[in-house]
Amino acid sequence: MRTIAAISTPPGRGGIGIVRMSGDESLEIVKKIFTKKNLTPRFMHYGKIVHEGRTIDEVLVCFFKAPQSYTCEDMVEIYCHGGYTSCMFILEILQELGAQLAGPGEFTKRAFLNGRIDLLEAEAVEGIINSETKEEQLLYTDVLGGKLTQKLDEVLQKLVYLISECEAKIDYPELGDVDDMKDKIAEIKDDLNSFIEDEKRTAYIREGLSLAIIGRPNVGKSSLLNALSNKNRAIVTDIEGTTRDMIEEVINYEGLNIKLIDTAGIRKTDEIIEQEGIRLSKEAAEKSNFVIVMIDGSKPLKSEDYEILEFIAEKEKIILVNKSDIGIVVDTKELEKFGDVAFCSVKNDEGVREVMATIKDKIVSEVDFDATSIFNLRQRALINSAIGELKQALIDVDVMPFEIVEVDLREAQEYISMILGVNASEDIIDQVFKDFCVGK
């Protein structure tokens, strides 16, 4: 297999840059340019990279002898100064000496192909790299540590036992009864359904929460966005219709990534651009996970307020009455007919943080920060396919020979095994690794 090389640290300036190689020629190549020739595996060695009589950089080099490496192949990591030029210079020299540029995720792909990790754990590596919160990273770290693989293995063991029981019934029909087998199939189906439910409880950790702020003009939507993000992100004026387009800002609130969406004020208007902004506002409210409906508490309710409240009647929401510093005039009893009501003065920064706490309380019952769950479309589709086969097995066990039931169970086993990468096609493997960074 070809020896590959890549830069593993991000572009830009930093204290350290890492260039790594993997493959049978890794040690031979680095010895041609590193001043130290006797490299003890898994020890750091200080020296210089010298090429064509010129010192390129002072570096540390660590050699990992197969199979005790990330890829289970001979590997070399060169720790140079973190400037872009130094890393690229060394990478170009390694290529000149025979190493080939690694493809996206090729180091991790080799770890999978060489049996160090399964495909599920490989996908978790990408999840860790792309994590935006500590909680999200911990979710993927648990998967990389094998927790999810262990849970899937337990389901596979149950299936293997049930398949062997089917084979026994084929030869000896008098063994056991159908109801007992149906109970065991239903138990495995419930196990798989729990993976789907756990995924739903971790969705907000992985994907974040989208929160649309809607209301009629000049109720304080843009001011709320600025207050929550601690930025002057949106222009605030006394002129109605100042916000014409959606403005988005991402914040992290107690472990949740929340995308705040400030929208154009909803009102009747003949102005074409403002009409488009209002259309986008309604669309954002429909697609968001949660809605803050802002009401000007210093004035009575208007027809536009009723229109907005009725429009998002089925959405998870909180009705936020702003301008409490001026005095509450709005009919709060009327507002309570539409949902939970909270009060604030964005101008005086009163009640704003409490609003976020209330929102988190509303959704926290749907979030499990300790769950170890599947986390992408590929895994979910395979779990659902396995559940479908088990549903068919429950039907077939009453009316079909056990040979047919065994086929259903083996299909379910195959789908679950594919999550771990067992018998995965080359196309599937390439699809998993195509979005990885090159150096990982």
Side-chain angles (χ1 to χ4, degrees):
M1 189 176 287
R2 69 195 184 111
T3 295
I4 56 172
I7 299 171
S8 291
T9 42
R13 292 184 296 175
I16 296 174
I18 302 174
V19 183
R20 66 190 337 194
M21 284 190 292
S22 181
D24 293 341
E25 298 178 16
S26 297
L27 183 59
E28 178 186 337
I29 289 173
V30 79
K31 281 183 175 181
K32 292 178 181 179
I33 55 173
F34 188 48
T35 51
K36 295 287 181 68
K37 305 304 178 186
N38 296 319
L39 300 181
T40 304
R42 305 179 74 83
F43 275 75
M44 283 288 191
H45 301 270
Y46 167 75
K48 297 177 181 179
I49 297 293
V50 178
H51 183 58
E52 296 180 348
R54 297 289 301 272
T55 296
I56 307 303
D57 199 358
E58 290 183 281
V59 300
L60 293 171
V61 169
C62 189
F63 167 57
F64 301 87
K65 186 171 179 57
Q68 303 297 320
S69 73
Y70 182 70
T71 61
C72 293
E73 302 171 345
D74 282 356
M75 284 189 68
V76 170
E77 291 188 348
I78 302 170
Y79 302 82
C80 59
H81 288 93
Y84 178 76
T85 300
S86 180
C87 289
M88 280 301 301
F89 202 165
I90 292 172
L91 178 62
E92 288 170 2
I93 293 169
L94 296 179
Q95 290 179 268
E96 184 180 323
L97 296 175
Q100 297 180 44
L101 188 64
E106 191 167 356
F107 291 92
T108 303
K109 183 177 181 179
R110 291 189 178 199
F112 162 69
L113 293 173
N114 292 325
R116 182 181 176 275
I117 57 176
D118 59 44
L119 198 58
L120 181 64
E121 292 166 338
E123 289 173 307
V125 171
E126 185 186 21
I128 291 172
I129 292 170
N130 294 328
S131 291
E132 296 183 354
T133 67
K134 293 181 292 183
E135 288 74 15
E136 186 182 4
Q137 176 166 335
L138 289 173
L139 187 153
Y140 293 121
T141 303
D142 283 345
V143 177
L144 182 59
K147 284 187 178 181
L148 192 52
T149 297
Q150 182 180 348
K151 290 170 67 176
L152 286 168
D153 279 339
E154 289 171 359
V155 175
L156 283 171
Q157 288 171 17
K158 290 181 181 181
L159 269 171
V160 169
Y161 177 82
L162 208 51
I163 290 168
S164 65
E165 190 173 324
C166 263
E167 292 175 347
K169 288 181 185 295
I170 293 168
D171 295 329
Y172 306 99
E174 68 275 9
L175 291 177
D177 58 54
V178 169
D179 287 340
D180 178 58
M181 177 160 282
K182 287 174 69 175
D183 289 343
K184 291 175 181 177
I185 295 172
E187 179 185 336
I188 297 173
K189 182 171 73 68
D190 289 342
D191 289 342
L192 293 180
N193 276 320
S194 71
F195 285 93
I196 301 296
E197 292 304 313
D198 285 344
E199 187 207 18
K200 293 176 182 176
R201 286 191 285 269
T202 60
Y204 286 141
I205 301 173
R206 292 178 285 107
E207 301 168 9
L209 170 75
S210 57
L211 193 160
I213 307 169
I214 69 170
R216 57 185 176 82
N218 273 30
V219 294
K221 300 184 299 299
S222 297
S223 297
L224 179 64
L225 175 80
N226 290 342
L228 293 175
S229 62
N230 290 317
K231 297 178 182 177
N232 289 322
R233 184 71 174 81
I235 297 172
V236 177
T237 74
D238 293 330
I239 303 171
E240 290 192 355
T242 298
T243 303
R244 298 292 186 93
D245 203 353
M246 290 188 298
I247 299 173
E248 298 181 357
E249 186 69 30
V250 177
I251 65 170
N252 182 278
Y253 181 78
E254 296 185 3
L256 286 178
N257 257 19
I258 300 178
K259 180 171 72 174
L260 303 171
I261 307 169
D262 180 26
T263 62
I266 297 174
R267 64 171 177 173
K268 291 181 175 62
T269 178
D270 295 326
E271 214 274 320
I272 294 176
I273 296 177
E274 191 175 357
Q275 284 178 351
E276 177 63 12
I278 292 169
R279 185 190 68 79
L280 292 174
S281 297
K282 292 182 176 180
E283 185 177 287
E286 287 180 325
K287 293 181 178 179
S288 63
N289 303 119
F290 202 95
V291 175
I292 295 178
V293 184
M294 290 204 76
I295 301 291
D296 184 346
S298 67
K299 298 176 182 178
L301 288 172
K302 294 187 176 182
S303 60
E304 289 95 340
D305 293 316
Y306 282 104
E307 178 187 341
I308 294 165
L309 290 166
E310 289 169 1
F311 173 70
I312 49 88
E314 302 302 319
K315 294 289 295 185
E316 190 74 31
K317 61 184 175 298
I318 187 168
I319 301 167
L320 183 59
V321 178
N322 189 27
K323 305 185 183 181
S324 59
D325 54 302
I326 299 177
I328 301 300
V329 173
V330 71
D331 186 345
T332 56
K333 294 293 184 183
E334 180 70 11
L335 285 176
E336 287 171 357
K337 296 177 183 178
F338 295 93
D340 294 337
V341 179
F343 299 87
C344 75
S345 168
V346 178
K347 179 181 178 181
N348 293 345
D349 196 20
E350 295 173 356
V352 174
R353 302 298 175 267
E354 289 78 2
V355 170
M356 294 305 298
T358 300
I359 292 171
K360 186 176 181 184
D361 287 344
K362 278 180 170 289
I363 65 169
V364 78
S365 60
E366 303 174 32
V367 180
D368 188 346
F369 288 96
D370 297 318
T372 302
S373 76
I374 58 174
F375 50 85
N376 64 28
L377 288 172
R378 183 189 78 88
Q379 298 160 13
R380 187 192 314 144
L382 290 170
I383 290 286
N384 281 325
S385 295
I387 290 171
E389 293 296 335
L390 293 173
K391 287 179 178 178
Q392 187 62 48
L394 286 171
I395 296 171
D396 290 343
V397 76
D398 280 327
V399 297
M400 302 295 288
F402 282 113
E403 288 88 345
I404 302 300
V405 177
E406 182 182 349
V407 170
D408 297 332
L409 297 178
R410 286 193 181 279
E411 287 291 325
Q413 179 191 21
E414 180 71 14
Y415 284 126
I416 298 170
S417 297
M418 286 174 64
I419 297 174
L420 302 175
V422 178
N423 298 325
S425 70
E426 189 172 337
D427 287 343
I428 290 174
I429 294 170
D430 289 343
Q431 185 69 24
V432 168
F433 290 100
K434 72 178 180 65
D435 293 325
F436 270 57
C437 55
V438 171
K440 192 62 178 176

